[in-house]
Amino acid sequence: QVQLQVSGPGLVKPSETLSLTCAVSGYSISSDYYWGWIRQPPGKGLEWIGSMHHSGSTYYNPSLKSRVTMSIDTSKNQFSLKLTSATAAETAVYYCARHGVRGNWYFDLWGRGTLLTVSS
Amino acid sequence: QTVVTQEPSVSVSPGGTVTLTCGLSSGSVSTSHYPSWYQQTPGQAPRTLIYSTNTRSSGVPDRFSGSILGNKAALTITGAQAGDESDYYCVLFVGGGVDWVFGGGTKLTVL
């Protein structure tokens, strides 16, 4: 069974860098899928942050592009998110998810999500 | 900036049929946007319902169907049940590369 598990600090101070990792189990991250991040502020809707393929192909939400970096560690079968200059507005549940390529454009697998709070 | 629009809230009677829509702030939604739909209950991760406009994800009852209606993507639920009370999100694939835009979500009430 394929599972995605997000881990992170839970609390980040404003202006600091937000870092999260998504561990993938039951499936190779080197397969032909994109691995992505989506967030959801409390009581609000979903927002795509970015997606990355193990080949290195990476796409970011244009509104976040200047502050986002994603990376993949195939040896650990996990991928990561870094978002610099965090603000309180970025307090959200962060999900990792998988989506297909070449016509299979949809998120078929979601992790459980983790709440990350930006506060001093 | 691309904005995807959804009804903020919709209600349906038990056993009834309801259609939720997903539009673009400018232009029409087409199959080329690969519209997909997700159901989310409080505290849970989204669950994939429909992808590529009208393909049901594994295990999704055939009460849920997707289509293009006019210039919008649509999710239709027939025979609504109390358990269908959830938030429903559509997402469109809009980029020349990879670029996703979620709608604001529709809160469905069954009463």
Side-chain angles (χ1 to χ4, degrees):
Chain A
Q1 184 180 2
V2 186
Q3 291 188 323
L4 279 63
Q5 180 66 51
V6 182
S7 61
L11 178 65
V12 171
K13 290 182 169 57
S15 79
E16 293 189 343
T17 296
L18 175 165
S19 296
L20 295 169
T21 297
C22 180
V24 181
S25 59
Y27 198 83
S28 172
I29 204 168
S30 296
S31 59
D32 201 16
Y33 279 93
Y34 275 89
W35 305 91
W37 292 96
I38 296 106
R39 67 183 179 182
Q40 185 172 36
K44 296 187 178 181
L46 299 163
E47 179 183 36
W48 173 70
I49 299 171
S51 300
M52 186 171 188
H53 191 269
H54 71 89
S55 64
S57 176
T58 309
Y59 296 90
Y60 300 132
N61 185 320
S63 68
L64 300 170
K65 188 175 183 178
S66 63
R67 297 191 292 123
V68 173
T69 303
M70 290 181 61
S71 59
I72 281 184
D73 186 336
T74 56
S75 67
K76 294 182 178 179
N77 217 44
Q78 63 185 32
F79 61 104
S80 299
L81 169 72
K82 291 188 186 300
L83 179 64
T84 61
S85 304
T87 69
E90 291 168 312
T91 293
V93 174
Y94 284 76
Y95 296 99
C96 57
R98 182 181 79 174
H99 69 79
V101 301
R102 289 186 291 278
N104 288 320
W105 297 114
Y106 70 104
F107 295 92
D108 70 333
L109 192 65
W110 296 73
R112 292 184 66 178
T114 191
L115 176 63
L116 191 141
T117 301
V118 181
S119 175
S120 55
Chain B
Q1 182 181 0
T2 301
V3 176
V4 175
T5 60
Q6 295 185 249
E7 300 87 358
S9 63
V10 173
S11 61
V12 62
S13 300
T17 296
V18 63
T19 296
L20 313 181
T21 67
C22 175
L24 276 172
S25 55
S26 57
S28 299
V29 177
S30 72
T31 56
S32 298
H33 292 108
Y34 297 91
S36 53
W37 293 88
Y38 304 83
Q39 178 190 51
Q40 187 182 37
T41 53
Q44 300 297 314
R47 168 198 180 198
T48 308
L49 292 177
I50 300 286
Y51 62 93
S52 295
T53 306
N54 56 13
T55 303
R56 274 185 298 276
S57 188
S58 177
V60 174
D62 59 8
R63 301 186 297 104
F64 294 86
S65 62
S67 63
I68 299 290
L69 286 180
N71 62 351
K72 296 182 179 181
L75 173 70
T76 300
I77 307 171
T78 59
Q81 302 175 359
D84 296 335
E85 273 205 354
S86 298
D87 293 324
Y88 292 84
Y89 292 92
C90 73
V91 63
L92 301 180
F93 182 71
V94 299
V98 174
D99 192 358
W100 299 97
V101 181
F102 282 88
T106 296
K107 183 176 184 62
L108 178 69
T109 302
V110 181
L111 49 69

